[in-house]
Amino acid sequence: MSTTPGTLNVAATRVGTEALGPGVRSALWVQGCPFDCAGCMSPDWIPDRPARQAEPGELAAELLGDPRVGGLTFSGGEPMRQAAGLAEVARLARLARDVSVICFTGYRLEQLRRRPPNPGVAELLAAVDVLIDGRYVAALDDGRGLRGSSNQRVHHLTRRLTESGYDFAHRPRTAEIAVSGPEAMLIGVPPPGLLAAFDNAVDTVRTGTTIAKEPPRER
Ligand code: SF4
């Protein structure tokens, strides 16, 4: 799907979470991913189909809506497919607040630097403090860290979060469940078993109510 330059195709946002990096952060998940990892925890966000169309300025303001927010986390879907728009979100947000930026990607950093798959990749990488790269491999899911599987690497592209005390690669996983009206969503990289328990709980509730499950908010 093509969008006008800068316009983002957004799967979801979450303002104020502690499950996607150090401190209180806001998350932006883009719609569409060129990969098809077996066991992807957000399969609804793989198709390159229209979702919410939003401008960077609108998103930056939204993500900073909670004054506690000190960082942004970009995930999806594949953020590098919408790199120009995300780079602009980061730039505009930083005009208002000095936020850190974490970004997930299924690409490898070397590939992004050597052959950027989309416009704006260099600009987005320049804005990112921590990049978590590589595709999800279910067999290498060790239940640790802010990454889905142990093949995924944590790159501190700046020194900003190196002294944060947050162990991106090995920390015990945490996740949040947010319920809003008829929807429930799982935010973060869930500990082993939580995703299945979440699915079962939602399915059980759904049989008696109109609650709708949204995909987990992580990679
Ligand atoms: S795990 Fe990530 S890279 Fe793989 S298909 Fe899902 S969204 Fe894409």
Side-chain angles (χ1 to χ4, degrees), residues 78-165:
E78 175 48 61
M80 293 300 161
R81 293 294 294 270
Q82 302 186 48
L86 289 174
E88 186 66 358
V89 171
R91 188 185 74 81
L92 293 172
R94 282 173 167 161
L95 292 178
R97 197 178 305 169
D98 187 23
V99 290
S100 64
V101 175
I102 297 170
C103 184
F104 290 86
T105 179
Y107 295 98
R108 287 299 194 187
L109 176 59
E110 296 82 355
Q111 180 184 2
L112 292 172
R113 286 175 166 159
R114 192 173 56 244
R115 282 184 67 182
N118 289 93
V121 167
E123 289 80 2
L124 180 55
L125 289 177
V128 168
D129 297 296
V130 174
L131 184 80
I132 301 167
D133 78 348
R135 295 175 57 173
Y136 174 69
V137 179
L140 298 177
D141 186 345
D142 60 359
R144 309 289 294 185
L146 189 71
R147 79 285 188 274
S149 51
S150 61
N151 61 299
Q152 295 173 316
R153 303 174 301 178
V154 177
H155 301 275
H156 285 271
L157 301 184
T158 73
R159 296 187 54 80
R160 183 180 186 122
L161 294 176
T162 55
E163 307 295 329
S164 65

Side-chain angles (χ1 to χ4, degrees), residues 8 33 47 92-93 110 126 149 172 180 214 218:
L8 286 122
C33 180
L92 293 172
E110 296 82 355
S149 51
S180 177
E214 287 205 344
E218 44 74 45

Side-chain angles (χ1 to χ4, degrees), residues 13-20 23-29 62-73 97 176 178 185 187:
T13 60
R14 179 68 180 177
V15 178
T17 174
E18 296 182 41
L20 283 168
V24 179
R25 316 186 64 80
S26 286
L28 192 166
W29 296 271
E62 177 181 326
L63 297 173
L64 297 182
D66 184 335
R68 299 173 304 155
V69 168
L72 307 180
T73 299
R97 197 178 305 169
E176 298 169 359
M185 65 182 185
I187 303 165

Side-chain angles (χ1 to χ4, degrees), residues 33-37 39-43 45-46 76-78 105-106 134-136 152 218-219:
C33 180
F35 306 112
D36 188 17
C37 307
C40 170
M41 298 175 199
S42 304
W45 296 343
I46 294 176
E78 175 48 61
T105 179
R135 295 175 57 173
Y136 174 69
Q152 295 173 316
E218 44 74 45
R219 174 171 300 277

Side-chain angles (χ1 to χ4, degrees), residues 4 21 51 54 59 79 86 101 116 146 165 171 185 195 199 206 210-211 213:
T4 56
L59 290 163
L86 289 174
V101 175
L146 189 71
R171 69 188 308 277
M185 65 182 185
L195 181 59
D199 287 343
R206 184 185 286 156
T210 57
I211 195 168
K213 185 192 73 175

